[in-house]
Amino acid sequence: MASGTGGAGGSQPDGSGGASSTGGAGGQAEATWPTGCAEQPASIRTEGTLVELAFELVLGGEPFVFGEPNVAPDGSTVTPLNVRFYVSHAALIGEDGDLVPVDIVGPDGAATPYGVHFFNAEDPGSATFRLRAPAGSYEGVSFVWGLHKACSTSRPEANVAPLSEASQMTWPHSGYLFLRYEGSVAPPAEGEGGSDDPDGETATVPPAVHMGGNLVEDLAPRVEVRGALSVPASGSTGKVVRVVMDEVFGGATADVDLTGFVAPPGPVGDELLAGERLRRGLPDLTVFAFGP
């Protein structure tokens, strides 16, 4: 489990070429990400194949439909009302375990502002996460779930989308949220609770999860999506990436030691504690997985 002072997974997504939890960056000239948080980031490579990864929210193995009631495995009814997250510093996982950094691009193939992808469940177009990658056979994809320090500590009022204040991801005095989830939860009907809730009186799904970092340390976690990924020399390729909300909710409600947690100024709500539990528990969770 990650410590209270390091990011979940121990990554160093700051362009320094440091090793991550998935292995070193390979030691090649192109094996580091651009530093800083430029609105127009330098490209890692000028040519490559378009890889389209379609994020799909799931709960209990079924689509987790935004804005509609969904039945959770514990029998509760969950209606997601806000699901947003950032993805940055993407890489493909080579057959030797090394990371091959790639550009995050838009539909036109141009690098996205700040090298960031912003998923917003209210915007179906944001579900597709695009990469410009070299041809080859890979063992999966890796990315930072959130923002590295340079972007997380930037000024929202001076930024354009997706780091503008309109993102609804700004966190006063402490940069940005990495994940923002909010929803309504109706507990299981009587007699429908699981083994931990035999009377069906309490839902185990949290109503809100806010995961972020702080202004001092680079706490954005690096995650992996493992599975065969073949990138052709031309054209495009794609896969579905499931966002397993069961794992998000399980991590957010797990018994995790929060020693050393530095909260932003003001009252500390349950949603912040849920987010920190999730962040620290990520090495033992499979939040992202390739779909069939």
Side-chain angles (χ1 to χ4, degrees), residues 4-280:
T5 58
S11 62
Q12 294 177 310
D14 59 359
S16 65
S20 74
S21 60
T22 58
Q28 300 176 4
E30 65 177 9
T32 59
W33 291 268
T35 58
C37 190
E39 180 182 334
Q40 297 180 324
S43 295
I44 295 172
R45 55 179 43 83
T46 58
E47 297 180 351
T49 300
L50 183 65
V51 178
E52 295 187 327
L53 303 175
F55 286 124
E56 177 185 89
L57 304 176
V58 296
L59 180 68
E62 300 295 330
F64 188 46
V65 184
F66 181 78
E68 297 185 14
N70 299 263
V71 178
D74 70 351
S76 61
T77 300
V78 186
T79 303
L81 303 175
N82 202 342
V83 188
R84 301 164 186 251
F85 58 79
Y86 287 117
V87 172
S88 61
H89 285 81
L92 299 184
I93 303 172
E95 294 180 330
D96 56 3
D98 284 355
L99 299 184
V100 180
V102 294
D103 294 293
I104 298 176
V105 299
D108 59 357
T112 59
Y114 312 105
V116 167
H117 177 77
F118 180 44
F119 173 89
N120 175 4
E122 295 182 75
D123 175 14
S126 73
T128 302
F129 173 41
R130 298 176 177 88
L131 308 174
R132 181 168 58 234
S137 296
Y138 300 94
E139 299 298 317
V141 64
S142 171
F143 50 81
V144 167
W145 194 17
L147 303 173
H148 61 101
K149 184 179 175 182
C151 281
S152 188
T153 58
S154 63
R155 296 170 53 202
E157 68 274 14
N159 290 338
V160 301
L163 300 187
S164 64
E165 294 177 309
S167 67
Q168 299 184 28
M169 297 290 279
T170 58
W171 200 356
H173 310 295
S174 296
Y176 294 82
L177 289 170
F178 303 153
L179 162 72
R180 180 174 182 178
Y181 167 81
E182 289 143 11
S184 64
V185 184
E190 185 175 353
E192 294 184 3
S195 59
D196 294 331
D197 180 26
D199 297 322
E201 296 176 349
T202 305
T204 60
V205 176
V209 182
H210 290 182
M211 182 178 72
N214 62 41
L215 297 179
V216 179
E217 298 167 284
D218 214 340
L219 298 183
R222 177 168 288 281
V223 298
E224 294 180 345
V225 189
R226 286 281 181 170
L229 177 62
S230 179
V231 179
S234 61
S236 62
T237 188
K239 276 183 173 289
V240 170
V241 175
R242 290 182 165 178
V243 185
V244 185
M245 298 304 294
D246 313 63
E247 296 283 271
V248 172
F249 297 147
T253 56
D255 183 10
V256 176
D257 182 5
L258 296 182
T259 300
F261 174 51
V262 180
V268 179
D270 290 340
E271 70 280 2
L272 299 183
L273 300 178
E276 183 63 3
R277 291 189 193 98
L278 171 63
R279 189 189 69 80
R280 296 191 186 199

